Each structure stands twice: as structure tokens, then as C-alpha cells.
Amino acid sequence: MNALVLSAIFGVVMMFSGVFFKRNAPIKTTGIIAMLLLLIANCMEMKGIKLFRFDVSAFMSFTDYALFFNALAIFATLVYLLVASGEMEKIGKNLADYFALIFFIIAGITITTSFTSLLSLFLGIEIISIPLYILTGADKKNLKSNEAALKYFLMGSFSTGILLMGIALIYGSQGTFAIDKMNFITDAKSNPNLHIAGMLFLLFAMSFKASVAPFHFWTPDVYDGAPTVFTSFMATIVKAAVFVGFVRLFGGAFAAMEKTWSVWIAVMIAATLFVGNITAVFQQSVKRMLAYSSISQAGFLLFSVYAMNSAAREGLLIYSAAYCLATIGIFAVLSKMDDYSFEGFNGLAKRQPVLAFTGTICLLSLAGIPLTAGFLGKFYMLKAAIITGQNLWLVIFAVIMAAVSAYYYFRVIQAMYFKDGPAPSAPATSIEKYTLIFICILIVLLGIFPNVFLNWLYF
Amino acid sequence: MIALLLILIPLLGGIITFFIKKEEGARTWSLLAAIATFIVAILGFTICNSAESLTYKAPWMGLLNSSFSIAADGMGAMLCMLTAISFPIIFVSTWNTRYSNAKNFLGLMLLTQAGLMGVFLAMDALLFYFFWELALIPVYFICSQWGGEKRIKVTFKFFIYTFVGSLLMLVGILYIYSKTNSFDITAFYNAQLPFDQQMWVFWLFFLAFAIKMPIFPFHTWQPDAYQQSPTAATMVLSGIMVKMGLLGLLRWLLPVLPVASYSWGDTVSTMAVIGIIYASLVALQQNDMKRLVAYSSIAHIGLMCLAVFTENKSAVQGTMLQMFSHGINILGMWVIVEIIERKFGTTKMSELGGIAKKAPALTIFFFIIALANIALPLTNAFIGEFLMFNGILGVDPNISKYGIPFAVLAGIGIVILGAVYTLKMARSVFLGETNSLTESGTDIAFHEKAILGIIAVTIIVAGIYPHHLLHSFEDITNSILNKSDVLHLLKTKH
């Protein structure tokens, strides 16, 4: 609750800060400080200190798990702002607006992770989506950015329609929006088709938002067209939050129908991993490769919905943390490059050793090499899937796809370290460098001592 | 504590090496770290070899029931010893080889050593997997950065191959874990999976080990990788890293999945025998010394894999001894190949010849090592191969009915063809007339004599008096055979 109210207030504050401050530096500082306050407020709520006492129990319930994820998302956003706000200035004149939109997205995330009513799920998803449409088109003079925004908006509105349709069908079947009051036991008289159709519509709509195949077609174009800094935000924190909502919806509302949807999810995992990884192999641009890689990572994240046990819920947190940190890091490196093709990275290790080294750690984490957080994320997801004891072919398929993913991540490492070239790039400022090193330290620490991280959950 | 030091010294030594600016300083420091590890290993395995000093256990991932548990049993100690001996030898023998950015090279080498030590000591499946991958990553960077012309592609193939294998092994580990709820090795030994599950989990593990060893048909990465890697890395790959696969078989496969190992035994043995014959035939056709040694290594590893699956004491003892001997012999072989490459700029046998006239000391050492490669009596390999052949011929008919054909075919490959290609190499490189390239050759320097001398002495001493070595891993052999004794299990059932 703290984070929800404060992030909405801070969003408005940031909007007006553009009027008061003429220069960019104070806007950035205000934004970062506000984000820090937001993190503190959220942690206070984790400790039981509530700043606002409205009764929203019909719409939202701020469980420990949701609060923990919110803390994670806000922390990741803070890191993201530290490393990316310099690049944000270069996109356009409206820096204050970008910050405001990011705060609104955080508000949406807090709703999505803690909804108890399908209506608040819808609200949360929309509060996330609409600012994202704007951020995608933030680079107004760039044709690709405009194209991406339009595509994203059209496809996104369509999926919102499907989401609403699903909610309506479920309501028609159950007579309630509350996910804990749903009861899908069918007797001879009632017709299960209504809520099965509703469940499938919700599944498709959520899959669209999480860019799960076969609803992923918008992802590469939008991620490629959007300004790199915003791609980084979209592909990480937002996507992880959607997955938390996904798990909450299917573990909460549709738990009784697990037999019906788990097959669908299994097939979608396989399709997502296959499409994401195989297409990423053939990309020539690192940015587009990362877009496809984010699809393939969504395949792994989807294991948390599929397995739906405690290992999966822990795994979702670790995987989100690992994936967000590593992807924010690698996008920060990417945003410094002049040439986004693989050849553009040739020789970066000689030109900018810090960027190359931190980028390498992030890529190793994305590939799931032990001692990095990414390995533990994958480890937890596979463990969760194996514990369910069925569809083991899916697990074996997933590890083979993980090996394929090593192929394209290592292509970047090869270009940076083993090939010679000019690597045209802008020098990183010292704050960016330190934040990147900080990200790498976090990745490695999380990879060696995940206990410390998970113990916070079980306080 | 000793066990922990064996991992920590190279790990910290390696990390410090990255920060030493001067090349000479980095070389001296890395050599010192390697020698320190060697001294710790010697002390640990001879003087203060109490059980407490050789084991170390600390809590690690409590939620997962995984602990940082390492221990040196007979086999682990032997392989750690091999690693500890090899690294100083590698550093000294490549002392004059120039690398750009030598500090990174040496740092990564030491990190590899730490990873290898970890693999040999880990007594926790998750920890084992961690080290298994950690040994690979530095080698990947070494080979890709300092290797030959086609290095990037070749190393990448090697990396992807082993990465696929190890990920499959991870699924296997997780599957057993889902039954035992603990990663501890004793829990794994007591898992006793049902027959049908063992049958397919076996392949998840075996593929990882087969790719690493490598066993036919998973060997295709190896000759290219050996040829393109810098020689120091090739020494690590061929001398020590292939032993990871064999250790995996002996420690993590046979005792954990005894029924499947028994049932698939003939299949695996057939693959190994095909590999032996095939690799020996290909070795005959090679013109490049590096490729010849690589294929010869595939054949020798194949024999060890064959011996493991006969599951009797003679063969397993022989395998363990041969793991050590093969490590020493192939290290010596690579040292000589590296010297020749540095002196004459080529390893093509057709371009060399008559080196014996110019470098008599080098020739003597080469012949000692070559004879050990053919397993002549009085060399270390003779004892190992004798025990292995003895075990394969005398295999219990309930375990395999094909002991004699396997032994005969392996004998043709290892003993006969092995002698042919090794002596062919000796003739065309060292004997005969000198040519324009070898005309200007000189003999080897003192430090090269010293390390080749150490290798030669080890070969002969272990060949004449193998008792101590054999005795040191007798306990672990018995315990492995005891845990994987399927015949006993079958008898009690009926």
C-alpha cells in the first residue's frame, strides 16, 4: 500500500518538477531520491509499518510475497535509473515526463502483484501498459520508434480486449471478480465451457503481455524500435511483474483447473523456448538478439506458472532478480555502443575494459553459468518442474535450449574479447561504471549465496 | 583444511595474478602459487593425511540441503596430486613461450586449477556441478584468446558440446535430488532409483562424462581443440580434464546408478571399443604431431572407460593407476611437442626429421615417454594396462559375455596400432637425415631437461614400484565396487 500510494504521488510530483526545474540534473536527482524513498517505504511495510490505512481488501492484498517482489522491482528500477538516466536525457526534451511515467508504471506493478480481484488485475495491467506505449514512442523524430509505439499500442489494445472478454466470461460463470471466491467445480447441470473459455482468454492475454509464444510477435519490433533505455525497462522489471501477476492469477483463481491449463502452458513453454532461442541465433543486431533472448527467458519464467509449487515461487523471485539485473546491465553496455551489430562489439575489451567485463558477467548470467545469479534462477525453475514429476521431456528440452542460448550470448563475448576492431562507442561516466560493477557484484553474490536473499522472504 | 587449501591457493593466486602488471612478476607469482599447491598436496597426502585434514564441510545452501563438502578419498587425492604436479611443470615448460597479456593467461590457468581440484574433491552433487562448469569457463577463455588461427570456432564447438553435456547432467542431478531431497553424496548413494528410472537417468549423466572423456561418437570436438589451443591449455585438457569424465564414472555413476550401469555396460563398452579402433586407425594417418597425440589419447581413454564397466577389482585398480600414468605421459608428450613447435615452428611430421642428431637429450626423453605410451614393461603405463587387460579378460560372465572379444579388439588398437603410430612418429621426427628446417636445431635448455627428467623418473619409478600408488586407492576401489555390486543385489532378490 505504501508503495502504491507513494509511487502515484511521486509520479505527479515528477510531472510538475519539469515545470520548476529548467535543467536536467535536478530532475534526475529528484527522481532517484524519490525512488529511494519509495524503496524505503516499501521495506517499512514489509516490517509492518503502514503509512496509509485504507481498506482495499476487496481489491488487493499485500502479501509478503507481493511486497518482496515490489521491493525487488523498485530496487531494480533504482539501479536502472542510476545506470540509464544519463542516456534518457538524450532521447528528448521531456525528461521529467519519462520519470513520471516510470513511477506510474511502478504503481501499476504494485497493483498487478497484489490483486485479489480480476478488476484490479485489469487496472494494474493497463496502468503498466499505457505509460509503456508512450515511452516506446518517446523518440518522436525517429520513424522506428513511432512505428514501434503504434504497433505496440494496436496489439496491446487488442490483447486488453481479450483480457476484458475473459474477465467478463469468468464473471458470467462465477458471479464474482474475487479470485479467492472462485469455484470451478462442475456438476451435471452447469456448463464448464464458459469458464474454460474465460480462462483461456485470460491465458492468452497474459501471454501477450509477457511475450510468450505464440503471442510474441510484437516483441522484437517493439523492443528493437523503442529507445534502448526504455527497452531495458520494458524487457525486465515490467515483464517480471507481469509474471508475478500471471502466477497469482493461475495459482489463485484457476488452481482448481490446473489439469486443463497445465498442458497449454507446457506447450507454450516449449514453443517460447524454441522460437526465442532459435530465432535469436540468426540475428545480426545485438539489440534484436536481446529482444528474442527476452522471449526465451520468458519461456523459463513460465515454468513458474507451470510448476506452481513453492520452489517455483522462490524461483520466480530469483529468476526475476537475476534476469532484471543482468539485462539492465547488458542494455546499459549496449546503449553506449554506436553500432548495434555483433561486429560493432569487436575489440570492446581493449577500448573499454570495464564495459566489456561487466557485460561479460551479465551475459554469463543470462546464459546460466554457475556462480552467477542466472544459474540459480534456471536451477530453481528446473527443480520446480522436476518436482512436479511429469513432462520431463520439457525439462530436457529446456536445457538443450539453454545450451543454444549460450551460443548467441557467447557471440557477443567473442566479439568483445577475441576479435579486433574499433568498437565505436561513447565513454561511460564514472557513475555508470560503478553502478555496472555493483550490478556484477550483486549477480555473483546472488549466485553464491542465494540463501541470504531468500531468507528475507521467510523473515 | 588441506583439501580446502588445495582449492583456495590456486583460486586466490589466480585472482591476484590478474592484478600484477609486469609479465615477469606474473609468471613468477603464478609459478610460486602452483608450487605452493604442490607442496600442500605432497604434505597432505603423505605426512598429515588424517581424515580431518582431508575433509572440510561448511553449510552453504541450507534451503536446498546442499553443503560445501569436500573430501579427498584415494582417487580424489591421486587426481589432485596429478593436478598439483602438472601445473608447475606446465608453467616451467612454457616459461619461454610468449603470450600477449600474460597475466590474464596465467590467472585463468590458476583458476582452471582451482576448478579441477574442486571437481576431484567435491562430495556434494551441486558443488560438483559448480566446479565442473568452473573448470570449463577459464579454459574456454584461454583457448579462445591465445589459440591458433581457427581457435574461436573450434573452442566454441568444444564449449557448446561440454555445456550441453553438463546441463543434461544437471537435470540428472536434479532428478535424483527430487527423490532424495539432499545433494550429499551419501544420499545419492542411497537413492536406489527404480530400474526404469535408472535406465534413462544413466544417459543424462553418461553423456556429460562421455563428452568430457571423450568417448566415440562424442569425440569430434577433441582433435581440433587440442590442435588449436595454446599448448599449456592442451596439457591441462588432455592430461587432467579428461580425467574429470572418468572420475565422474567412478564416483557419480557406477555407485549411484548401479543397475543401469550394469545393464548399459555392454553398450558403453562397445562404444569404447569402436572408439579405440577408430582413433588408433585415424592416428596412423595423421601428419600433425598434435593430432596424433590427440587421437592416441582418445584410444587410451577408451580403454579406461572399457575397463571401468567390467566392474572388477583388477580393472578398476588398473584404471586408477592409468589415470595417473596417462596424465604424466601425455604431459611429457605435449612438453616435447611444444619444444619442437617452438624450435622449428611446425609440428608437421613430414617437415621434420633427424632431430636426434641435433638434440640427443630431447630424443632420449622422447623415447622414454613414447615407450611409456606403448606401455612397455618397466614403464608406468605397463602396470595400468596390464591390470586393465587382466580385468577385461577375466570379467565375470554375468556382467559381460564379451570380455574376450573386447580385450582382443582393444589390444589390437592400443597395443599393436599404438606401437605402430608412436614408433612411426619417432622415426619420422627424430630419426633419419636432417633437412633444411632441422639443420639449425639445438638441444634443450636446462629447465626443460629438468622437467622432462622429473617426468621420466616418475614414469620409471611408477613402472618399477607401483605398490604405494596402488595401495593408496585400494580402499576406494573396494568401496566403489561394493556399492555398484549388482550381482550381489540380484542374488539376494531371487
Side-chain angles (χ1 to χ4, degrees):
Chain A
M1 195 71 207
N2 291 356
L4 173 58
V5 177
L6 278 181
S7 59
I9 294 173
F10 284 146
V12 179
V13 169
M14 288 313 294
M15 247 156 72
F16 285 100
S17 73
V19 180
F20 295 118
F21 300 124
K22 290 292 162 233
R23 289 187 308 117
N24 281 336
I27 298 178
K28 269 198 293 187
T29 320
T30 325
I32 288 167
I33 290 171
M35 197 54 81
L36 195 60
L37 288 176
L38 200 57
L39 182 62
I40 294 167
N42 190 69
C43 291
M44 279 161 67
E45 189 167 354
M46 286 167 81
K47 290 279 183 192
I49 307 166
K50 290 188 177 127
L51 299 178
F52 308 96
R53 296 189 179 275
F54 310 122
D55 181 24
V56 288
S57 55
F59 298 102
M60 278 172 275
S61 107
F62 293 92
T63 58
D64 288 346
Y65 188 82
L67 287 175
F68 190 80
F69 180 83
N70 291 349
L72 188 75
I74 297 168
F75 176 75
T77 315
L78 183 64
V79 173
Y80 161 77
L81 288 182
L82 283 174
V83 77
S85 56
E87 289 296 312
M88 251 185 245
E89 290 177 73
K90 295 175 192 159
I91 293 165
K93 280 182 262 174
N94 315 316
L95 184 65
D97 298 358
Y98 306 149
F99 271 90
L101 290 169
I102 286 171
F103 276 100
F104 290 141
I105 292 173
I106 296 285
I109 286 173
T110 54
I111 299 177
T112 310
T113 55
S114 38
F115 71 93
T116 54
S117 154
L118 292 181
L119 282 181
S120 43
L121 169 72
F122 174 73
L123 272 181
I125 294 278
E126 280 309 285
I127 295 175
I128 292 176
S129 299
I130 291 167
L132 278 184
Y133 302 145
I134 304 169
L135 287 180
T136 308
D139 194 357
K140 279 188 274 187
K141 303 238 169 68
N142 186 337
L143 202 61
K144 265 178 98 181
S145 175
N146 280 320
E147 182 200 337
L150 185 65
K151 255 186 197 166
Y152 192 21
F153 176 66
L154 288 178
M155 302 280 269
S157 327
F158 191 60
S159 84
T160 304
I162 293 175
L163 182 70
L164 268 182
M165 184 70 192
I167 292 174
L169 288 174
I170 295 287
Y171 184 78
S173 151
Q174 301 295 316
T176 174
F177 289 121
I179 58 170
D180 47 356
K181 297 212 179 73
M182 306 232 168
N183 169 22
F184 294 106
I185 299 163
T186 48
D187 46 37
K189 276 180 280 176
S190 66
N191 184 0
N193 291 344
L194 201 57
H195 62 245
I196 287 179
M199 185 271 294
L200 285 180
F201 275 9
L202 282 173
L203 175 66
F204 297 158
M206 292 305 278
S207 304
F208 175 89
K209 298 291 179 192
S211 69
V212 166
F215 307 98
H216 66 282
F217 290 101
W218 59 276
T219 319
D221 287 345
V222 172
Y223 284 11
D224 195 21
T228 308
V229 273
F230 296 135
T231 310
S232 156
F233 188 65
M234 248 193 279
T236 54
I237 298 153
V238 172
K239 184 178 268 190
V242 171
F243 268 102
V244 174
F246 210 148
V247 169
R248 214 177 152 81
L249 178 64
F250 278 76
F254 301 132
M257 297 164 70
E258 187 166 346
K259 286 218 167 51
T260 321
W261 52 258
S262 71
V263 182
W264 288 82
I265 303 252
V267 173
M268 281 160 85
I269 291 175
T272 312
L273 287 170
F274 185 79
V275 170
N277 283 304
I278 300 296
T279 325
V281 166
F282 296 104
Q283 299 307 313
Q284 296 309 316
S285 146
V286 175
K287 193 175 176 186
R288 226 175 150 76
M289 178 278 276
L290 285 171
Y292 279 105
S293 111
S294 91
I295 297 177
S296 77
Q297 303 278 355
F300 262 99
L301 280 162
L302 199 56
F303 268 114
S304 60
V305 183
Y306 167 73
M308 205 55 88
N309 47 31
S310 66
R313 289 159 64 81
E314 284 167 17
L316 178 58
L317 288 179
I318 294 197
Y319 206 106
S320 316
Y323 169 67
C324 290
L325 285 173
T327 311
I328 288 171
I330 190 68
F331 268 108
V333 174
L334 181 71
S335 66
K336 292 285 160 202
M337 307 301 295
D338 296 342
D339 179 1
Y340 284 169
S341 68
F342 280 94
E343 287 73 33
F345 278 77
N346 285 358
L348 186 69
K350 292 220 176 67
R351 301 282 176 283
Q352 300 211 51
V354 178
L355 282 192
F357 179 75
T358 49
T360 303
I361 300 277
C362 292
L363 288 166
L364 290 179
S365 177
L366 286 174
I369 304 290
L371 278 198
T372 61
F375 166 73
L376 273 168
K378 286 206 167 65
F379 174 84
Y380 263 90
M381 289 302 179
L382 295 177
K383 178 186 158 204
I386 287 176
I387 288 175
T388 63
Q390 45 195 339
N391 291 339
L392 283 164
W393 60 270
L394 190 60
V395 177
I396 292 174
F397 182 74
V399 296
I400 291 171
M401 285 298 135
V404 172
S405 79
Y407 175 82
Y408 51 80
Y409 293 131
F410 273 71
R411 264 180 82 190
V412 185
I413 299 181
Q414 285 172 354
M416 291 193 294
Y417 276 93
F418 311 137
K419 290 182 180 160
D420 288 325
S425 56
T429 62
S430 57
I431 183 156
E432 284 164 345
K433 278 185 192 165
Y434 285 120
T435 317
L436 277 172
I437 291 169
F438 175 64
I439 289 176
C440 289
I441 292 172
L442 279 183
I443 287 175
V444 174
L445 280 183
L446 194 55
I448 305 177
F449 303 110
N451 274 7
V452 181
F453 174 75
L454 280 176
N455 281 344
W456 287 341
L457 182 62
Y458 295 112
F459 238 125
Chain B
M1 200 59 213
I2 297 275
L4 189 62
L5 279 179
L6 284 177
I7 298 174
L8 278 185
I9 297 175
L11 182 68
L12 297 177
I15 292 171
I16 292 170
T17 312
F18 287 120
F19 297 99
I20 299 177
K21 287 264 156 51
K22 278 191 183 156
E23 186 177 336
E24 279 302 302
R27 277 181 188 272
T28 318
W29 168 259
S30 58
L31 182 61
L32 282 179
I35 289 175
T37 319
F38 176 60
I39 292 170
V40 170
I42 289 271
L43 288 179
F45 300 138
T46 54
I47 299 167
C48 41
N49 56 349
S50 63
E52 298 97 69
S53 67
L54 292 182
T55 52
Y56 180 80
K57 194 166 185 175
W60 182 34
M61 296 199 201
L63 290 172
L64 294 171
N65 281 328
S66 170
S67 58
F68 189 90
S69 161
I70 50 177
D73 57 17
M75 180 169 49
M78 180 265 292
L79 287 168
C80 286
M81 199 61 219
L82 176 66
T83 316
I85 298 176
S86 302
F87 272 82
I89 291 182
I90 292 169
F91 285 145
V92 174
S93 70
T94 55
W95 192 261
N96 291 334
T97 314
R98 292 284 137 224
Y99 305 109
S100 61
N101 226 339
K103 64 183 168 73
N104 290 354
F105 180 87
L106 298 163
L108 287 169
M109 286 290 281
L110 285 173
L111 291 188
T112 314
Q113 190 185 13
L116 287 166
M117 291 284 190
V119 171
F120 298 147
L121 293 170
M123 288 293 160
D124 181 283
L126 189 60
L127 193 65
F128 174 71
Y129 179 79
F130 258 68
F131 281 122
W132 179 275
E133 291 274 309
L134 284 192
L136 173 66
I137 301 292
V139 166
Y140 167 74
F141 278 93
I142 291 174
C143 298
S144 306
Q145 192 149 12
W146 289 278
E149 249 170 73
K150 288 184 288 180
R151 62 185 191 277
I152 296 179
K153 217 174 157 189
V154 166
T155 316
F156 202 36
K157 182 174 167 190
F158 159 60
F159 178 79
I160 293 287
Y161 252 89
T162 41
F163 193 56
V164 171
S166 50
L167 280 171
L168 290 175
M169 179 171 76
L170 178 67
V171 176
I173 290 176
L174 275 168
Y175 189 77
I176 299 181
Y177 169 74
S178 73
K179 309 284 173 197
T180 61
N181 202 26
S182 164
F183 285 107
D184 196 65
I185 194 165
T186 46
F188 267 53
Y189 284 165
N190 296 329
Q192 291 183 342
L193 261 53
F195 177 72
D196 55 326
Q197 292 174 10
Q198 285 204 10
M199 291 303 271
W200 63 268
V201 175
F202 175 87
W203 286 100
L204 296 178
F205 279 87
F206 183 73
L207 276 177
F209 301 146
I211 290 169
K212 207 79 169 190
M213 283 193 278
I215 289 293
F216 177 88
F218 308 105
H219 65 282
T220 55
W221 60 268
Q222 196 215 34
D224 289 334
Y226 282 14
Q227 191 185 12
Q228 293 294 325
S229 304
T231 315
T234 311
M235 292 174 186
V236 176
L237 280 175
S238 61
I240 313 170
M241 216 163 231
V242 293
K243 309 300 185 306
M244 285 164 64
L246 286 162
L247 173 122
L249 287 184
L250 284 166
R251 187 180 284 163
W252 293 98
L253 192 61
L254 252 59
V256 176
L257 304 167
V259 185
S261 310
Y262 159 76
S263 310
W264 289 114
D266 277 342
T267 316
V268 172
S269 303
T270 312
M271 282 159 63
V273 168
I274 294 174
I276 293 170
I277 300 281
Y278 167 81
S280 304
L281 285 174
V282 178
L284 268 179
Q285 310 298 322
Q286 296 304 316
N287 185 27
D288 188 299
M289 288 175 82
K290 286 186 165 184
R291 288 186 86 87
L292 191 150
V293 178
Y295 278 109
S296 146
S297 177
I298 297 180
H300 281 98
I301 296 288
L303 178 64
M304 288 182 235
C305 178
L306 176 61
V308 167
F309 279 90
T310 60
E311 300 184 19
N312 62 41
K313 190 171 172 186
S314 169
V316 175
Q317 283 280 70
T319 308
M320 294 213 192
L321 185 64
Q322 184 66 0
M323 274 154 92
F324 187 79
S325 309
H326 175 262
I328 296 288
N329 297 349
I330 201 157
L331 186 62
M333 207 57 128
W334 286 120
V335 171
I336 288 174
V337 171
E338 139 95 30
I339 291 172
I340 289 177
E341 188 178 24
R342 189 149 27 87
K343 278 192 195 309
F344 305 110
T346 178
T347 50
K348 294 263 186 299
M349 292 197 285
S350 54
E351 293 171 20
L352 296 162
I355 294 180
K357 289 187 181 144
K358 295 292 168 188
L362 180 66
T363 312
I364 290 169
F365 286 124
F366 174 79
F367 270 90
I368 293 174
I369 293 163
L371 293 181
N373 200 38
I374 324 174
L376 224 63
L378 291 191
T379 62
N380 54 1
F382 171 72
I383 316 280
E385 288 196 1
F386 177 81
L387 286 171
M388 284 195 286
F389 275 115
N390 182 34
I392 299 167
L393 279 170
V395 61
D396 188 326
N398 288 321
I399 287 181
S400 172
K401 293 187 186 65
Y402 310 108
I404 294 173
F406 283 155
V408 169
L409 287 170
I412 291 174
I414 297 279
V415 182
I416 300 175
L417 293 178
V420 174
Y421 62 69
T422 312
L423 294 176
K424 186 183 144 217
M425 171 164 72
R427 192 189 62 208
S428 61
V429 175
F430 286 90
L431 308 179
E433 291 303 313
T434 52
N435 58 23
S436 56
L437 190 70
T438 54
E439 195 64 41
S440 57
T442 50
D443 212 346
I444 49 181
F446 173 74
H447 70 274
E448 289 161 342
K449 273 183 197 157
I451 49 168
L452 284 171
I454 293 170
I455 291 173
V457 168
T458 319
I459 288 175
I460 291 166
V461 169
I464 296 173
Y465 188 64
H467 174 75
H468 261 307
L469 265 173
L470 282 172
H471 182 68
S472 74
F473 33 74
E474 198 166 354
D475 288 345
I476 188 71
T477 306
N478 286 335
S479 111
I480 289 170
L481 289 175
N482 196 17
K483 290 193 187 80
S484 51
D485 184 7
V486 180
L487 299 179
H488 178 72
L489 274 178
L490 292 178
K491 256 178 225 153
T492 48
K493 241 177 216 173
H494 291 304

